[in-house]
Amino acid sequence: MKEAVEALVGERPPTVLTRSGVEEAERQVAAAAGRPRTSRKGQGFATDQQVKVAVETHAMNEALLHYSKLGKVTDTSRTESFDYVVEIDGAAWHVEVKGTTGDPQEILLTPNEVQHAKDYPHVALFVLSNITVSRDHDGGMTVSRGRASIFHPWSLDQARLSPVGYKYHLPAFDQESEA
């Protein structure tokens, strides 16, 4: 998992892990990972960064396995608002990948992901849901399974979007009120 975590947080160039690499990586995740939610209807805000990275990596690898059978795949997850470009029958498909331990009812999208899905004509969505996260008695983490929902093509339906928060810019910090 160390390799996957480093690739996703920017300490190394991205590396696609094989299934055995994922399994090895999962054993290396720290014992501090939190417990998975038991009642889940979709993707939520992960409170444990290591679990989040492991779930995302697992979903990315499953999407890579799927799309590699259809065409040439290029990982753009570190430079674009979408995760893969897949050349299929002469068209460049932009694939957004989401992973969740919850049911396949809802996912979180960034404003850039939404805008790109509205603007680009060849967009696909790959969601791996019901991913299993388990821990052994030593605190090691295993991420496995999942149910793939593939929307190819994906036509973003504005009526299915819901705002989930706001960014608030704080007023200037007052040095005198510091405790």
Side-chain angles (χ1 to χ4, degrees), residues 33-177:
R35 293 188 175 102
R37 296 174 293 166
T38 56
S39 175
R40 312 167 313 245
K41 67 178 191 174
Q43 186 181 33
F45 294 103
T47 57
D48 186 309
Q49 187 63 25
Q50 290 176 324
V51 171
K52 178 182 175 183
V53 169
V55 166
E56 289 174 359
T57 300
H58 183 62
M60 290 286 289
N61 280 300
E62 291 299 314
L64 178 63
L65 288 172
H66 171 77
Y67 280 101
S68 291
K69 296 173 187 171
L70 302 177
K72 179 184 175 222
V73 179
T74 303
D75 186 336
T76 57
S77 61
R78 294 176 53 90
T79 59
E80 301 291 343
S81 63
F82 49 92
D83 296 303
Y84 292 126
V85 173
V86 185
E87 297 293 329
I88 303 173
D89 297 328
W93 286 86
H94 293 183
V95 180
E96 181 59 42
V97 179
K98 296 294 182 179
T100 178
T101 57
D103 291 330
Q105 293 180 4
E106 56 190 32
I107 58 167
L108 298 174
L109 297 168
T110 68
N112 286 341
E113 291 166 346
V114 169
Q115 192 60 50
H116 185 73
K118 288 178 182 178
D119 294 343
Y120 192 75
H122 302 292
V123 180
L125 175 65
F126 182 99
V127 179
L128 192 66
S129 61
N130 300 107
I131 296 172
T132 302
V133 178
S134 59
R135 286 155 191 68
D136 60 27
H137 66 280
D138 294 327
M141 182 172 61
T142 301
V143 180
S144 61
R145 303 186 187 182
R147 174 180 167 197
S149 300
I150 302 166
F151 304 89
H152 189 114
W154 174 36
S155 179
L156 185 72
D157 181 353
Q158 189 75 27
R160 293 181 175 273
L161 288 173
S162 301
V164 293
Y166 294 91
K167 181 189 285 187
Y168 180 69
H169 294 275
L170 297 173
F173 181 72
D174 181 2
Q175 293 284 340
E176 293 179 24
S177 66

